Amino acid sequence: MASQQNDSDPSEISDFLLNCFVTSPGWQLWLSLPLSLLFLLAMGANAVLLITIRLEASLHEPMYYLLSLLSLLDIVLCLTVIPKVLAIFWFDLRLISFSACFLQMYIMNSFLGMESCTFMVMAFDRYIAICHPLRYPSIITDQFVVKAVIFIVARNVFLCMPIPILSARLYYCGRNVIENCICANMSVSRLSCDDVTLNRLYQFAGGWTLLGSDLILIFLSYILILRAVLKLKAEGAVAKALSTCGSHFILILFFSTILLVFVLTHVAKRKVSPDVPILLNVLHHVIPAALNPIVYGVRTQEIKQGIQRLLKKGW
C-alpha cells in the first residue's frame, strides 16, 4: 500500500498521499468552514449567472457569452480542487492515485491559463466598447466570441499538456507524500528520483509566457480605456465607466496578485512558512471563482435585472 511506503522504501510507488499543512496542522480546522462557504458561494453564484444568461434572451450577446465562459471555468476549477481538499480536512482522505493526480495537475494548469486568457479577451471587449463604440457591433460579434473561445481552449490545452506529461514520465521511488493539498507540478515532481530541471524550466517559462503576456495586454487595454475615459465630456460618463472597468480591473489584479504572491513565497520558502504557499494555492482556486460572478455579474445592470425577472417568474 502507498500509505505504508516511506523514504527508505526503494520500490516504485503507484499512489500519492496529500499532506496539506505540515507545520501548522491546526489550520485545517479553522480553514474548513470558510473554505466550504466560499465553495458553496462560488458554485451557487456561477450557476445563477449561467442560468440567467441562458434563459434571458436580452443577455444573448458576446459580452455575456464571455461571462458564461468565465463562470464555466470557475466551476471546473472549484470542482477539481476544493472537494478533495475538504475531504482531506474532514475525513483525512489523503490518498490520490497517479492518474487522478496528474489529471488534476493538467486541469489546474490549463484552466487557470484559460481563465487568464478570458480576462484578456474581456479587457479587449471593454476597450472596444469604450474607445471605439461605433465599431463595437462590427468587431465584437458572435463569430468573434467563437474564435476567441477556440483560441483560449486550444492555446492552453496544448501548451499545458507537457506539464503533466513531463511529471508522469519521471520515476517515483520511495517517497510518496506530497507536501501540498493539491497535485501542484513541482510539489509532485520533487518526489521523483530523476532530474526535474526540465519540469522546472517548462513550468516557469510556460507560466510566465502565458499568464505574463495576458497580464501585459490586460494592463495595456485598461491604460487605453483610462485615457479614453478621461477625455469624455458627458456628465456622469466618466464615473460610470470608471466604476465598471475599475471593479473589473481590481478583480483581475487580485487574480494576478495572489498568483504572484504564491510564486514569490514559493521562491523564498526558506524565509516563509511552507504552509503559506499551500494556503495561497488553495485559496487561489476558490476566492476568484466566488468573486467573479459578483463583480462581473451582479454589478452589471442588465444581469441584475435578468436575475430579478427570473426570481419573479419563479415566484
Side-chain angles (χ1 to χ4, degrees):
M1 291 295 292
S3 59
Q4 296 174 331
Q5 292 169 330
N6 50 50
D7 292 353
S8 62
D9 188 355
S11 62
E12 185 176 1
I13 61 176
S14 58
D15 297 288
F16 292 118
L17 283 174
L18 294 167
N19 194 17
C20 284
F21 299 116
V22 181
T23 61
S24 306
W27 285 16
Q28 295 185 183
L29 297 175
W30 65 262
L31 185 60
S32 61
L33 179 58
L35 187 63
S36 58
L37 293 177
L38 282 171
F39 175 68
L40 292 175
L41 175 62
M43 298 300 293
N46 282 290
V48 169
L49 187 61
L50 283 170
I51 293 171
T52 302
I53 294 174
R54 174 67 180 85
L55 297 180
E56 283 293 312
S58 61
L59 300 179
H60 293 175
E61 296 179 3
M63 181 179 71
Y64 303 113
Y65 294 149
L66 293 173
L67 280 175
S68 297
L69 175 61
L70 187 64
S71 289
L72 285 173
L73 296 175
D74 284 334
I75 288 174
V76 173
L77 275 171
C78 275
L79 290 175
T80 302
V81 174
I82 306 305
K84 180 60 178 178
V85 174
L86 291 176
I88 295 172
F89 287 178
W90 291 338
F91 310 111
D92 199 33
L93 299 177
R94 299 186 296 147
L95 189 69
I96 185 169
S97 67
F98 256 45
S99 56
C101 185
F102 293 120
L103 177 61
Q104 186 190 64
M105 182 189 300
Y106 177 62
I107 292 176
M108 287 189 301
N109 282 278
S110 59
F111 275 70
L112 280 174
M114 290 182 200
E115 187 160 353
S116 173
C117 196
T118 303
F119 280 135
M120 180 190 68
V121 176
M122 294 174 70
F124 176 74
D125 171 85
R126 292 299 84 202
Y127 163 73
I128 298 297
I130 293 175
C131 299
H132 304 282
L134 298 179
R135 298 177 57 194
Y136 182 85
S138 62
I139 296 177
I140 310 298
T141 61
D142 290 350
Q143 290 76 17
F144 169 83
V145 174
V146 172
K147 293 177 182 178
V149 171
I150 292 174
F151 170 74
I152 291 169
V153 173
R155 187 195 76 163
N156 295 285
V157 162
F158 291 109
L159 291 181
C160 293
M161 193 173 293
I163 294 176
I165 292 176
L166 287 172
S167 292
R169 61 180 281 277
L170 297 172
Y171 178 68
Y172 294 91
C173 57
R175 294 185 300 165
N176 73 322
V177 179
I178 302 172
E179 294 183 357
N180 206 330
C181 294
I182 59 180
C183 289
N185 178 29
M186 297 317 303
S187 297
V188 176
S189 59
R190 70 164 56 101
L191 300 178
S192 170
C193 302
D194 294 334
D195 182 18
V196 297
T197 303
L198 183 59
N199 297 61
R200 293 179 181 274
L201 289 176
Y202 192 88
Q203 179 79 50
F204 181 82
W208 284 110
T209 299
L210 296 179
L211 302 182
S213 60
D214 290 344
L215 190 59
I216 290 172
L217 292 173
I218 289 170
F219 268 99
L220 180 61
S221 296
Y222 280 100
I223 288 172
L224 295 173
I225 288 173
L226 180 62
R227 189 179 68 174
V229 164
L230 294 177
K231 294 180 180 179
L232 294 175
K233 304 297 182 181
E235 184 178 353
V238 174
K240 182 179 179 181
L242 287 178
S243 175
T244 302
C245 294
S247 58
H248 294 183
F249 181 73
I250 290 172
L251 188 57
I252 294 170
L253 194 62
F254 175 80
F255 173 85
S256 305
T257 301
I258 195 172
L259 186 62
L260 180 61
V261 171
F262 164 69
V263 172
L264 293 177
T265 53
H266 189 75
V267 171
K269 55 187 175 183
R270 292 183 180 179
K271 299 180 180 180
V272 179
S273 170
D275 290 337
V276 173
I278 294 174
L279 176 63
L280 291 173
N281 209 343
V282 172
L283 293 179
H284 186 250
H285 289 84
V286 66
I287 293 181
L291 295 179
N292 285 342
I294 297 173
V295 174
Y296 278 97
V298 176
R299 291 200 61 181
T300 303
Q301 189 65 28
E302 292 80 5
I303 292 181
K304 189 185 299 184
Q305 292 174 350
I307 293 175
Q308 291 172 350
R309 285 194 292 268
L310 287 179
L311 290 176
K312 289 179 181 178
K313 290 179 182 178
W315 286 108

